[in-house]
Amino acid sequence: MPKAGMEALGRAIAKEEGRYGIRANMVAPGIIDAGLGAEFLTSLYSPEIWETQRKRIALQRFGSGEDIAEAVAFLASAKAQYMTGQTLIVDGGFSL
């Protein structure tokens, strides 16, 4: 499902289920050097293309599984208890 569709679905769930205290937030990861992303980094394109992409990221590195896990843990925690229907972009500044 395209990103816009996922975000629209998340917002709709948040709006509909919020009255029951249910929160719905999304995490939009950038290029991640873990799982399927790690496989892509070695097989999908040449190392030169990935290096060019890495340089386009404000933090100058690809994300880790831990980076995404920390974002998810935050959204699931009481620290985000007043957040719903939001998309947290965890891409090291790639989308800037």
Side-chain angles (χ1 to χ4, degrees):
M1 179 179 271
K3 178 184 167 192
M6 293 294 291
E7 289 182 0
L9 176 62
R11 287 191 304 271
I13 291 169
K15 191 168 188 173
E16 183 66 27
E17 303 302 326
R19 63 182 153 203
Y20 302 112
I22 297 170
R23 297 180 293 122
N25 294 297
M26 290 72 57
V27 174
I31 302 171
I32 304 301
D33 191 3
L36 190 55
E39 175 67 25
F40 287 162
L41 288 172
T42 60
S43 66
L44 191 57
Y45 299 113
S46 70
E48 295 81 20
I49 290 174
W50 288 118
E51 182 62 14
T52 299
Q53 293 302 316
R54 186 190 62 75
K55 289 178 180 177
R56 292 181 60 206
I57 299 169
L59 294 179
Q60 299 285 295
R61 68 176 181 86
F62 298 129
S64 68
E66 185 174 314
D67 292 324
I68 303 307
E70 290 291 341
V72 171
F74 164 72
L75 288 174
S77 77
K79 292 178 181 179
Q81 65 185 347
Y82 199 57
M83 289 179 68
T84 194
Q86 303 302 308
T87 300
L88 188 57
I89 300 170
V90 185
D91 68 358
F94 183 74
S95 59
L96 297 175

